Amino acid sequence: MLCKIAFGNVRRAGRDYLVYLLTLTLAVTVFYAFNTIAIQVDIAGVEAQSSGMGQLLGNIISGLTVFLALVMGFLMVYANNFIMKRRKKEFGLYQVLGMSRGQVALIMAIETLLVSAAALALGLLLGLVLSQLMVFFTASIFKTQIADFHFFVSMGALVTTVGCLVAIFLVTLVFNLRVVRRAKIVDLMSSGRKNETVKTRNPWVAAAIFVVGLVLIIVSYARLLSDGLPYDGQPEAMTAFLITTAMVVVGTILFFFGLSGFLLKVLQGMRSLYWRGLNMVTLRQLAAKVNTVSLSMAVIAMILFLAITSVTTGMSLADTMNNTVERGTPVDFTRCLVYWGPRSLAEMNNNAAYYGEDTRYAAADGPVDMMEASANDVFTATSEGEAAGIAAGQPFDLASIAGDYVQVDTFDSTPRGADRPLVSLVDLCDAVGRGLPAGTESSDASTLGLLVMTESNYNAYLRFRGMEPIELGKNGYTITSDMGATVNDIYNAVLGDDVELAIGGRTLKPVQDRVPEDASTFQNAMMGMNSGTIVLPDDLVEQLDLPPYYSYLMVNYAHGVSTDQGDAYVSAPRTYGNILNGAGESVAGWGTEATRTATYESTDTMNGLISYLAIYIGFVLVVACAAILTIQQLSGVADATANYRILSELGCDRTEIVHSVLVQQSIFFVFPLLMGIAHAICALSVIIELVALFGGMTIGGTVGLVTLIFLIAYGGYFCVTYFMGKGIVYDATRTRAAA
């Protein structure tokens, strides 16, 4: 009997369960589709080029799913609260007719189970379809070809999804039982006659609060655009950023807290509009609602901001890496050598317990022969090395697989014994009347000097790259950099304006009018690494007595050595040898090394991780925000049914009442979205400038498509809210109040 009642209730109250069903179905669809990532990367051929990628992504997505399931669980409790408010009188009637609280709770549990089962079935069906389509999306992200596409079902994803749904169901069930246990019959039966107590604030005070909030938001925007992001981690920059963040959060809360009062004062001044139709009623109801939901509107605006920013930044950053990786991988293999500077030497020699009792550290007299130093490395015993024919204890004979190679040596622009560089980024900015890139003012980048390179070494590099050498003469210079436009535009202005530099008693003039970006990359990397190197005549560099800073070894494999063979050899585990001078003192340490193949694979891996996490998190956040707004608005409409019935009895047209509800719902949906978009535009303008330090960043393409999908989901909830609210109004105005 109880099952029959519950089934009939679900069928009769299907409209009330629509938000619950829709949100849960979307959650199941997304949970299942994204948790099949391990199978998707296998079918898309990603595992063939990046072993372990599927397991890595699968583990990250699974852990994230548990967190998002908790979020959705509390959201479902919120959705269920709307259903409870709509049906309190019905549940009270059950108890009046003789049912126990336990039986009422069981009916509610069966109803929730039926709706959850329907959401599971529908969500899994949609998830199966979406997971098949996502294989092609995965192949596009990782730039692979699908060799053997076939229909698949993931039992692991199914178990994870069902587990999350069961957890959500249990959370909802506990909430329902708690409500039934605490509710009194008299409260349930009289719920329809109780109105929410609303404190309406003075419109002038509300308008003043709105203006204060708007001013705080504008000031925070100006601060962020001026200061940039504190990517350098300096305490002053972090403090300023935290203040800016606090200002925008407080400003957003105050903005929505005073929104209704501001609109009320503005429209009251426009009397012809204020007294037209039900505008006065609409504004009064809006003011009453904003009193109770202003904080949630501010939170929703911030969450939408995070969703929009994360998706846009993530997808655009992936595009940036794709665009820069080809230029950033000029050779098969690169190694980097880092020379000890004065600060490093003092710390290492004074902390022998950490850096080694038997080693002394000293400054290098000049660049080290990296090919010769590489022979000091020794391979360690591994199964991979043995499979490649590399025995443990064998020296790393890089020359045996190297064909063409070149060593690029760069020097610190601060001469030995001096305390400031000969030329720095801030000096060049001053020379062309430009400011430092936002966010770098307090960083070391503003004070550290450009690296220095000799003309002969740079020409050797150019010949290695198949490019024409340059001629500096006695008083010429040029600047190399593979960074993005934020930095290179400064260097281009210096070169293009023929800025003269006084270095070592000479007045130097540029011999090029632009930075040779294609001839500025000295190591394999997915993004720009050469932040600025000035090329000077050899005799001037020797005269300046500059200490070596970095050395780069760029190697192409010899003819007869395949890429797989070369990569296997240089990637085999080994112990790095010490770089010692004639006195047995350490003068440098090995830095990063990378093959072209590994750099491409790392780029694809990062693209996949960033893209999937951005879309997954962003979509769930958007759905959560839209569902919360839907439930809030439907609860408000349900609470105001008595008012709508009175308006109808006073002669108001039903269409006007529905239009009033639509206006209120539009404001509650659109204003947080517009605020989130405004915050995102401001933040993205700074993020784009920051990413431009390493390479250009564009917003479009896939980002536009994903954003459109999010807006469709958000708009879909708005449509559901409107049609369900319209139905509630029609039901209320169809029935006359009891005498």
Side-chain angles (χ1 to χ4, degrees):
M1 174 63 72
L2 296 181
C3 291
K4 185 176 181 181
I5 293 175
F7 183 78
N9 287 344
V10 171
R11 185 173 55 184
R12 177 180 52 81
R15 187 174 61 190
D16 292 340
Y17 276 109
L18 182 59
V19 177
Y20 187 93
L21 177 65
L22 175 62
T23 305
L24 207 56
T25 299
L26 286 176
V28 171
T29 301
V30 174
F31 286 168
Y32 176 83
F34 276 85
N35 277 277
T36 62
I37 185 64
I39 299 178
Q40 292 179 36
V41 298
D42 184 42
I43 296 177
V46 178
E47 284 291 337
Q49 72 172 28
S50 182
S51 179
M53 185 69 247
Q55 183 178 0
L56 174 63
L57 262 176
N59 291 338
I60 294 176
I61 293 294
S62 296
L64 190 59
T65 299
V66 174
F67 169 74
L68 294 177
L70 293 175
V71 175
M72 296 303 294
F74 287 107
L75 179 61
M76 290 301 97
V77 169
Y78 198 36
N80 198 67
N81 184 43
F82 164 69
I83 299 172
M84 288 294 296
K85 289 182 68 175
R86 289 275 288 163
R87 301 179 61 197
K88 277 185 177 181
K89 189 173 182 178
E90 176 187 340
F91 294 140
L93 183 60
Y94 286 153
Q95 295 184 48
V96 170
L97 294 176
M99 283 189 183
S100 65
R101 290 185 178 182
Q103 289 175 314
V104 174
L106 183 58
I107 290 176
M108 295 169 61
I110 295 174
E111 291 181 16
T112 305
L113 180 62
L114 290 173
V115 177
S116 299
L120 177 63
L122 185 58
L124 287 177
L125 179 62
L126 295 175
L128 283 171
V129 176
L130 180 60
S131 61
Q132 315 303 313
L133 297 176
M134 284 180 63
V135 173
F136 299 94
F137 177 70
T138 302
S140 173
I141 288 179
F142 288 98
K143 299 187 180 303
T144 58
Q145 296 292 327
I146 301 175
D148 181 26
F149 177 79
H150 57 274
F151 182 82
F152 64 91
V153 177
S154 173
M155 293 305 299
L158 182 62
V159 171
T160 299
T161 303
V162 173
C164 291
L165 187 64
V166 169
I168 293 172
F169 170 76
L170 292 177
V171 170
T172 306
L173 181 61
V174 169
F175 171 80
N176 288 343
L177 295 177
R178 179 172 175 269
V179 171
V180 172
R181 183 174 61 85
R182 291 190 172 187
K184 298 178 181 179
I185 296 179
V186 63
D187 293 331
L188 294 174
M189 295 300 296
S190 61
S191 61
R193 297 190 180 96
K194 288 188 175 182
N195 294 322
E196 180 184 6
T197 302
V198 176
K199 296 180 180 179
T200 304
R201 66 180 62 87
N202 187 300
W204 283 107
V205 175
I209 292 174
F210 171 85
V211 172
V212 171
L214 185 61
V215 169
L216 283 175
I217 292 173
I218 294 174
V219 172
S220 65
Y221 284 1
R223 286 173 57 92
L224 182 62
L225 293 174
S226 174
D227 299 340
L229 295 175
Y231 69 90
D232 50 28
Q234 295 295 320
E236 299 84 359
M238 287 298 299
T239 301
F241 179 72
L242 291 176
I243 293 175
T244 301
T245 302
M247 288 178 64
V248 76
V249 171
V250 173
T252 303
I253 295 173
L254 295 180
F255 177 91
F256 286 108
F257 200 66
L259 174 63
S260 60
F262 176 78
L263 293 177
L264 190 61
K265 292 306 299 180
V266 170
L267 292 180
Q268 279 180 341
M270 304 168 62
R271 294 186 175 277
S272 60
L273 182 61
Y274 180 74
W275 295 105
R276 183 183 303 167
L278 294 179
N279 287 349
M280 180 185 67
V281 175
T282 301
L283 283 174
R284 293 292 179 180
Q285 288 187 333
L286 179 64
K289 288 181 181 179
V290 173
N291 282 336
T292 57
V293 301
S294 57
L295 181 60
S296 64
M297 289 181 70
V299 172
I300 288 170
M302 298 303 294
I303 293 176
L304 288 173
F305 152 68
L306 291 175
I308 296 170
T309 305
S310 65
V311 173
T312 306
T313 302
M315 299 297 291
S316 298
L317 189 60
D319 289 340
T320 297
M321 289 189 292
N322 277 332
N323 295 333
T324 59
V325 68
E326 183 174 356
R327 190 184 71 187
T329 52
V331 293
D332 293 328
F333 174 68
T334 59
R335 294 195 82 178
C336 176
L337 193 66
V338 183
Y339 298 94
W340 310 134
R343 292 183 181 178
S344 301
L345 289 173
E347 179 183 351
M348 291 186 291
N349 284 323
N350 293 331
N351 194 1
Y354 181 80
Y355 291 99
E357 298 284 354
D358 301 329
T359 305
R360 294 294 298 171
Y361 300 89
D365 295 329
V368 172
D369 187 325
M370 294 182 66
M371 186 64 76
E372 181 181 328
S374 294
N376 294 329
D377 295 354
V378 177
F379 287 106
T380 56
T382 61
S383 57
E384 293 83 359
E386 293 175 358
I390 302 172
Q394 177 181 332
F396 180 51
D397 187 9
L398 184 57
S400 65
I401 64 167
D404 297 333
Y405 69 90
V406 68
Q407 178 171 327
V408 175
D409 300 312
T410 62
F411 299 84
D412 191 344
S413 59
T414 303
R416 300 178 197 269
D419 57 1
R420 80 176 305 274
L422 297 170
V423 57
S424 65
L425 179 60
V426 68
D427 294 333
L428 298 180
C429 287
D430 291 341
V432 294
R434 292 186 177 221
L436 286 165
T440 65
E441 295 87 345
S442 61
S443 69
D444 291 339
S446 62
T447 56
L448 288 178
L450 274 66
L451 296 181
V452 176
M453 187 177 181
T454 64
E455 176 186 3
S456 61
N457 192 201
Y458 186 59
N459 281 332
Y461 164 81
L462 291 175
R463 285 190 288 269
F464 170 77
R465 296 288 307 276
M467 301 176 181
E468 290 294 324
I470 64 170
E471 180 65 41
L472 296 182
K474 187 173 180 61
N475 297 311
Y477 78 91
T478 191
I479 300 174
T480 69
S481 169
D482 63 357
M483 304 296 281
T486 303
V487 173
N488 282 355
D489 283 351
I490 297 173
Y491 297 147
N492 288 332
V494 171
L495 298 176
D497 294 348
D498 290 327
V499 173
E500 297 181 348
L501 300 179
I503 299 177
R506 301 186 193 179
T507 301
L508 307 179
K509 296 183 178 181
V511 298
Q512 294 178 311
D513 58 1
R514 291 188 62 81
V515 170
E517 295 181 12
D518 293 334
S520 299
T521 302
F522 306 141
Q523 60 178 320
N524 290 335
M526 65 179 69
M527 302 188 80
M529 298 295 290
N530 177 10
S531 60
T533 303
I534 185 168
V535 182
L536 301 176
D538 289 37
D539 62 328
L540 179 58
V541 175
E542 183 177 356
Q543 169 194 328
L544 294 172
D545 190 25
L546 304 176
Y549 198 84
Y550 288 130
S551 285
Y552 306 94
L553 184 61
M554 308 177 66
V555 179
N556 283 320
Y557 300 140
H559 294 295
V561 178
S562 67
T563 300
D564 291 341
Q565 291 173 331
D567 289 348
Y569 188 83
V570 300
S571 301
R574 60 185 185 274
T575 302
Y576 296 129
N578 292 324
I579 312 298
L580 307 176
N581 59 14
E585 298 170 316
S586 174
V587 296
W590 291 110
T592 59
E593 57 183 56
T595 64
R596 177 189 282 124
T597 304
T599 304
Y600 267 97
E601 290 178 356
S602 298
T603 301
D604 292 339
T605 300
M606 288 296 296
N607 287 349
L609 285 171
I610 292 173
S611 300
Y612 271 102
L613 294 180
I615 295 172
Y616 192 29
I617 296 173
F619 185 82
V620 174
L621 290 179
V622 168
V623 169
C625 291
I628 290 173
L629 284 171
T630 294
I631 297 162
Q632 281 183 346
Q633 294 311 299
L634 292 179
S635 297
V637 174
D639 291 339
T641 52
N643 297 333
Y644 297 138
R645 186 181 298 116
I646 293 173
L647 288 174
S648 177
E649 292 175 348
L650 291 175
C652 290
D653 186 71
R654 182 186 294 174
T655 303
E656 290 186 344
I657 299 175
V658 172
H659 181 264
S660 173
V661 172
L662 175 61
V663 171
Q664 296 174 53
Q665 292 174 350
S666 299
I667 290 176
F668 279 95
F669 267 86
V670 173
F671 273 65
L673 178 61
L674 292 179
M675 181 63 74
I677 292 175
H679 289 352
I681 290 174
C682 180
L684 286 172
S685 63
V686 178
I687 293 172
I688 290 173
E689 185 174 359
L690 174 61
V691 175
L693 287 169
F694 308 97
M697 175 176 171
T698 57
I699 299 176
T702 307
V703 175
L705 177 61
V706 174
T707 303
L708 178 62
I709 294 174
F710 287 177
L711 290 179
I712 289 175
Y714 193 78
Y717 270 94
F718 174 75
C719 292
V720 169
T721 305
Y722 169 68
F723 286 113
M724 290 185 66
K726 181 179 179 181
I728 294 173
V729 172
Y730 273 41
D731 290 342
T733 56
R734 188 182 300 120
T735 305
R736 294 183 60 84

